[in-house]
Amino acid sequence: MKARSEPAGAEPPQAGPGTSARPPLVRELLLVAGLFLVYKLGRQLATGHTAEAFRNARRVWDGERALRLPDEGSVQSLLLHGDALVHSANTYYAAVHFLATVAFLVWLYLRRPAHYVWARRVLAAVTGAALVLHLLFPLAPPRMLGAAGMIDTARVYGPSVYGPPATDELSNQFAAMPSLHLGWALMVAVGLVVATRSRLRWLWLLHPLLTLLVIVGTANHYWLDAVAATALLGLALAVLRPPHRRRCALPPVRRAQPRRRAAAGPELVGAAR
């Protein structure tokens, strides 16, 4: 039985969406680890600016009141209605921020390699820009500002990811603006909305919304920290555009040819006798 030959000039079927070459895993792990170490080192360079961080905190707090933004304390008062609620918010702040971002990148790497490269570049750009702002504009969070009248929910109810500011050598607690918690959460939501086609994909926007309420309610960030993070992500997305989704090539639809009518009319019985 002879195989059916393809017509001359026919294009081979294209690959489905997200099937571009996957970057080497070892290179990606080293790259991400290197970026993380650089970020941690950069945050350490911002230490020792306590007085400036508190001056900036008072300016941000007064600026928000001048703009008539809602008081961050109103969000915290909602969390303080129950120990379980505030403990869950502290856990979300401590764990979900990093784990959700890692899970997002791993899923893109395995299922949408082209979108993975795009998302990794955007996250690196946002994180690098945030590091520069942390160095130029050290900012004490609301939990340290007496004028805010808020408590450190992580220290009181746990769990906490920060030690005493004077002895904490692992993190820079004066790096409130912009909020990378919100910036990364927004990118996770945007990336999943762009890379998937489910009708329910827009529900991923609940992640940055919940993150916003958590970072404000736990007194770790001001509203303007979230505004700055959103602006940085918007600029990064404007420069680094997502890959075009390729559509699977469908075979050409063949239209049924109408039956040809017989040229001659029906043969008459007994004709030409």
Side-chain angles (χ1 to χ4, degrees):
M1 185 175 179
K2 295 183 179 179
R4 187 177 178 180
S5 60
E6 294 293 333
E11 295 182 359
Q14 297 178 1
T19 57
S20 60
R22 184 175 292 113
L25 179 59
V26 175
R27 189 193 70 180
E28 291 302 309
L29 291 176
L30 292 176
L31 179 60
V32 172
L35 290 173
F36 181 76
L37 291 177
V38 170
Y39 176 69
K40 280 294 184 182
L41 177 61
R43 292 185 69 152
Q44 292 304 310
L45 296 177
T47 58
H49 300 280
T50 304
E52 184 180 0
F54 278 96
R55 285 195 301 268
N56 290 334
R58 286 187 288 271
R59 292 169 184 166
V60 169
W61 181 261
D62 293 340
E64 287 187 343
R65 307 292 76 79
L67 294 173
R68 299 186 181 276
L69 293 179
D71 191 339
E72 285 87 349
S74 61
V75 180
Q76 185 173 88
S77 64
L78 297 176
L79 296 180
L80 296 178
H81 281 303
D83 291 356
L85 183 59
V86 68
H87 187 272
S88 298
N90 292 333
T91 304
Y92 195 94
Y93 180 87
V96 176
H97 162 62
F98 185 74
L99 293 179
T101 307
V102 170
F104 164 68
L105 289 175
V106 170
W107 185 84
L108 287 182
Y109 181 84
L110 296 176
R111 302 296 298 274
R112 301 288 190 274
H115 288 85
Y116 163 78
V117 174
W118 163 68
R120 186 247 292 155
R121 290 173 178 171
V122 172
L123 286 172
V126 170
T127 304
L131 174 58
V132 174
L133 286 178
H134 293 163
L135 295 174
L136 297 178
F137 192 78
L139 179 65
R143 56 187 167 83
M144 296 183 183
L145 185 63
M150 304 177 70
I151 66 173
D152 186 348
T153 59
R155 183 179 58 83
V156 176
Y157 297 92
S160 177
V161 295
Y162 301 122
T167 59
D168 189 356
E169 298 181 355
L170 297 178
S171 60
N172 173 25
Q173 298 190 41
F174 298 136
M177 182 181 289
S179 169
L180 280 179
H181 272 73
L182 183 67
W184 287 13
L186 269 175
M187 184 55 206
V188 169
V190 170
L192 290 173
V193 168
V194 171
T196 59
R197 283 295 178 266
S198 170
R199 293 182 179 180
L200 300 179
R201 68 187 186 278
W202 297 101
L203 292 178
W204 286 111
L205 294 175
L206 293 175
H207 174 46
L209 177 60
L210 183 58
T211 300
L212 175 61
L213 296 178
V214 165
I215 63 176
V216 172
T218 56
N220 283 293
H221 287 283
Y222 305 90
W223 295 115
L224 289 182
D225 299 341
V227 173
T230 304
L232 279 183
L233 179 62
L235 289 175
L237 291 175
V239 175
L240 302 171
R241 307 304 296 271
H244 295 289
R245 176 178 288 272
R246 301 186 214 169
R247 296 181 178 179
C248 295
L250 298 177
V253 178
R254 295 183 177 180
R255 298 181 180 178
Q257 297 294 334
R259 295 182 178 178
R260 296 180 180 178
R261 294 183 178 178
E267 184 180 355
L268 298 178
V269 179
R273 283 185 181 178

